[in-house]
Amino acid sequence: QSVVPQPPSASGTPGQRVTISCSGSSSNIGSNYVSWYQQLPGTAPKLLIYRNNQRPSGVPDRFSGSKSDTSASLAISGLRSEDEADYYCAAWDDRLSGPVFGGGTKLTVL
Amino acid sequence: EVLLAESGGGLVKPGGSLRLSCAGSGFTFSNAWMNWVRQTPGKGLEWVGRIKSKPDGGTIDYAAPVKGRFTVSRDDLKNTVYLQMNSLRIEDTAFYYCATGSISITGFDYWGQGTLVTVSS
């Protein structure tokens, strides 16, 4: 059971907008920045969002992040087949004194 | 181009030791905070440990499951970070990735391709 639960799966059709959420607590998401990672099959994770809603250079603006209280969300608009991947949220946890990752959400593009 | 290349993974018996290396290029290694993150095959990500840059104090922190058994170190002349793993357990079996950055400031912005550590008798 992850410290930061995420729904295990999500799906959408090409062109659709999907949202992936993660639910934390006051010791992690509630008091620290959230980042999001995309892991394509057989590859290393890749940073998509940092500081809740900032995109690194090269990440399309179809990806956006938000945070409210102890929860965070990743939205993907104009869904494409190449977006099929696992998505993880992460944040520093003050109680554990280290970063914690969400359990991950497997996104399927139908 | 930023590149991170892990090496040193392999098969080891429970109780054994292994040292992983991660060589970086394409960025100012000495200014980078370096992390180790692991992933059990088919499962999620788990932060293992971190070493800050020397200008930022060089502090080293560990996740509770590995504290006292694993040691993170760095050699800025060789642009390499190490993970010394002792007293290995079956549950340490995982892909081990090195990653740059601070989770709160930059996120983990660059990742290596990972190296597989298998602990089995």
Side-chain angles (χ1 to χ4, degrees), chain A residues 32-33 35 37 39 43-47 50-51 88 90-92 97-99 101-103, chain B residues 35 37 39 43-47 50 61-62 97 103-109 111-113:
Chain A
N32 294 289
Y33 286 119
S35 50
Y37 302 85
Q39 187 174 30
T43 70
K46 170 192 168 185
L47 177 67
Y50 67 101
R51 287 198 186 186
Y88 296 89
W92 182 267
S97 296
F101 286 91
Chain B
N35 302 268
V37 177
Q39 183 172 35
K43 298 288 176 63
L45 300 167
E46 180 186 26
W47 176 77
R50 170 201 69 194
D61 296 293
Y62 300 96
Y97 297 98
I103 195 72
S104 291
I105 300 173
T106 61
F108 291 160
D109 44 6
W111 297 65
Q113 83 288 349

Side-chain angles (χ1 to χ4, degrees), chain B residues 33-107:
Chain B
W33 294 20
M34 298 300 299
N35 302 268
W36 287 97
V37 177
R38 67 185 180 184
Q39 183 172 35
T40 305
K43 298 288 176 63
L45 300 167
E46 180 186 26
W47 176 77
V48 172
R50 170 201 69 194
I51 184 166
K52 293 183 180 179
S53 65
K54 286 190 171 66
D56 288 327
T59 312
I60 306 171
D61 296 293
Y62 300 96
V66 308
K67 202 166 187 177
R69 300 188 298 123
F70 289 12
T71 302
V72 179
S73 61
R74 65 191 298 155
D75 184 336
D76 290 340
L77 292 178
K78 295 183 178 179
N79 287 358
T80 300
V81 63
Y82 303 98
L83 180 66
Q84 176 67 44
M85 303 184 293
N86 299 331
S87 303
L88 281 161
R89 304 168 181 168
I90 290 174
E91 56 264 34
D92 294 320
T93 295
F95 281 97
Y96 284 74
Y97 297 98
C98 62
T100 60
S102 159
I103 195 72
S104 291
I105 300 173
T106 61

Side-chain angles (χ1 to χ4, degrees), chain A residues 3-76:
Chain A
V3 172
V4 183
Q6 292 181 232
S9 63
S11 63
T13 55
Q16 222 176 8
R17 182 178 188 270
V18 297
T19 300
I20 295 170
S21 62
C22 69
S23 176
S25 67
S26 58
S27 67
N28 44 64
I29 292 177
S31 52
N32 294 289
Y33 286 119
V34 176
S35 50
W36 287 91
Y37 302 85
Q38 177 193 59
Q39 187 174 30
L40 297 170
T43 70
K46 170 192 168 185
L47 177 67
L48 281 182
I49 298 288
Y50 67 101
R51 287 198 186 186
N52 301 336
N53 55 20
Q54 301 299 300
R55 277 188 310 277
S57 167
V59 173
D61 59 6
R62 301 188 298 109
F63 295 91
S64 62
S66 63
K67 186 182 101 166
S68 178
D69 293 328
T70 59
S71 295
S73 294
L74 173 72
I76 309 172

